Amino acid sequence: MLIDGAMTYRVAIVGAGPSGFYAADGLLRERPDLRIDLIDRLPTPFGLVRAGVAPDHQGTKAVIRQFERLLAQPDVRFAGNVEIGRDVSWEELQQDYDVVIVATGMVIDRKLGVPGEELPFVWGSWRFVAWLNGHPDFRQGPDLSQVKRVAVIGNGNVALDVARVLAKSADEMAKSDIVPDAGAAIAAAPISEIHVIGRRGPEQASFTNNELAEMGRLARAAALVDPAVLNVAAPAGDPTPERLRKAKNLEILKGFTNNKPGSKPIALHFVFNTPIQAIKAGEFDLVITCIGYAGEPYPTGEGVFAVGWAKRGPTGTIPTSRGESHAVARQVLAWLKDRDLKSGPDPIPQAVDAAGWHRIDKAEIAAGAKAGRPRVKLTDWQKLLEVAQGH
Ligand code: NAP
């Protein structure tokens, strides 16, 4: 292919989330001449960082600055509002690009598979968190106006994110970029109890230490746990880092036993050893399942590589993806070595590019500045596309 007189390979990365950006980063470290298209169905980049990371964890979202530096490189193109199957097929991508990297993540809520799961007050964490985060496909949240008792099912960091955002006061959320409607609905909800429910014991919870400890520092919620369930040890057979993490979790939970029920408006109960057999109306007013995700199928074969959650399933943090995407990038470069270049017209002539995204970014930051927040997100598809186009 001829670009500015130079021959170079053309790489499609499908999914402009962290694993996709880290794959681009890994490739460019070795081969700055590559031409990379970061394709996303949304008109906004950053995937899980924008739609999944909790809106009050702005420190985690700061990774965006690194990704923006990649977008600023001349041969890296953001191609937003491009949907595989609608605008271009996997086959066309495989045909037209020298390499296709699948970085589509996992965006389908895993199911408990129990009776009652389809009741309207049962929400999957992806749908719920996407609403808090202003994903344009999830503009409707649950009706919180009568919600007093909440069950959050699962013992991972997503369960903590969900419980924490529901438990935090409006003041604690003031510097977040939670969608204003969601923030107002949570602040006005009459929530008095949140139960974080694990099917196994506290020594098996997958919470990380800092995230669990944060639950003990909330202004309007007292973290509570029955001391009797804490009479366990971290599994001796686990590898050392896991064992240490679990032992520290038990220590943090023991600290919660000093908290007094009724000392704060919300009782935040950690409940263990409680598999869910069925969900019935009346017990809880809102149930949010935080039990992991599934992904859409994607093609495999010559010249197709996967990264991130699409590759390894829905576990691991953003830094985990960094190392893994870099390793895949090295495999891609080894595979590309000495391969004949493909050539042809640009397979994606029409897209929201980085300039379009920056118009959205600027509008959101300006709206946020008025409210003393990092940004107020645009959540309407039409509006996002209009702003991207400069209207
Ligand atoms: P996770 O850590 O794998 O936790 C999933 C939880 O769901 C586990 O406690 C699991 O229990 C439970 N579960 C699965 N099936 C269940 C069922 N049928 N009934 C009851 N419980 C069930 O995953 P996650 O919380 O979705 O988080 C995904 C990844 O993102 C994790 O690596 C996490 O650390 C990361 N993350 C990080 C942050 C952060 O750093 N602040 C924030 C959010 C997410 P079992 O253990 O018994 O299977």
Side-chain angles (χ1 to χ4, degrees), residues 48 52-54 57 60 110-113 125 153-161 164 197-200 204-208 211 274-276 290-293 309 314-318 320:
L48 184 97
V53 171
H57 274 182
T60 309
R110 202 183 268 165
K111 291 280 183 192
L112 277 169
S125 58
I153 298 171
N155 267 183
N157 282 335
V158 171
L160 295 183
D161 279 349
R164 189 185 67 251
I197 304 173
R199 63 178 168 180
R200 297 195 288 161
Q204 299 293 356
S206 57
F207 309 139
T208 47
E211 280 62 28
T274 308
I276 305 296
C290 308
I291 60 166
Y293 306 101
W309 281 10
T315 57
T317 57
I318 294 167
T320 317

Side-chain angles (χ1 to χ4, degrees), residues 66-256:
Q66 295 173 32
F67 300 156
E68 284 287 7
R69 282 199 289 276
L70 286 167
L71 281 186
Q73 299 204 19
D75 284 337
V76 176
R77 177 169 70 146
F78 174 60
N81 190 34
V82 174
E83 190 169 328
I84 313 298
R86 183 191 68 183
D87 304 307
V88 63
S89 67
W90 284 111
E91 292 72 28
E92 284 168 306
L93 293 180
Q94 283 173 268
Q95 197 180 302
D96 294 338
Y97 287 90
D98 297 286
V99 171
V100 176
I101 298 180
V102 181
T104 44
M106 290 205 150
V107 296
I108 301 167
D109 281 306
R110 202 183 268 165
K111 291 280 183 192
L112 277 169
V114 301
E117 192 164 15
E118 305 309 326
L119 290 166
F121 63 91
V122 183
W123 281 64
S125 58
W126 170 249
R127 194 157 65 110
F128 183 73
V129 174
W131 170 59
L132 305 175
N133 272 325
H135 189 300
D137 290 342
F138 299 89
R139 298 184 74 198
Q140 190 65 44
D143 176 2
L144 299 178
S145 61
Q146 310 293 322
V147 170
K148 294 193 175 111
R149 303 185 80 227
V150 182
V152 177
I153 298 171
N155 267 183
N157 282 335
V158 171
L160 295 183
D161 279 349
V162 166
R164 189 185 67 251
V165 169
L166 286 169
K168 273 191 170 180
S169 65
D171 267 3
E172 286 171 307
M173 292 301 286
K175 299 282 177 237
S176 78
D177 64 355
I178 191 168
V179 161
D181 284 355
I186 292 170
I191 298 170
S192 57
E193 290 175 34
I194 300 173
H195 298 246
V196 177
I197 304 173
R199 63 178 168 180
R200 297 195 288 161
E203 77 284 14
Q204 299 293 356
S206 57
F207 309 139
T208 47
N209 300 147
N210 287 342
E211 280 62 28
L212 182 59
E214 197 182 348
M215 306 305 276
R217 299 191 295 266
L218 301 176
R220 66 168 186 168
L224 304 169
V225 58
D226 175 1
V229 302
L230 300 178
N231 238 337
V232 285
D238 277 11
T240 305
E242 272 294 273
R243 198 164 29 79
L244 293 178
R245 178 183 65 74
K246 288 173 171 175
K248 181 72 184 165
N249 274 352
L250 289 170
E251 199 184 299
I252 295 165
L253 288 164
K254 281 180 186 149
F256 293 171

Side-chain angles (χ1 to χ4, degrees), residues 13-23 38-40 45-49 67 103-104:
I13 298 179
V14 182
S19 65
F21 270 95
Y22 284 132
L38 276 151
I39 299 166
D40 206 288
F46 312 135
L48 184 97
V49 181
F67 300 156
T104 44

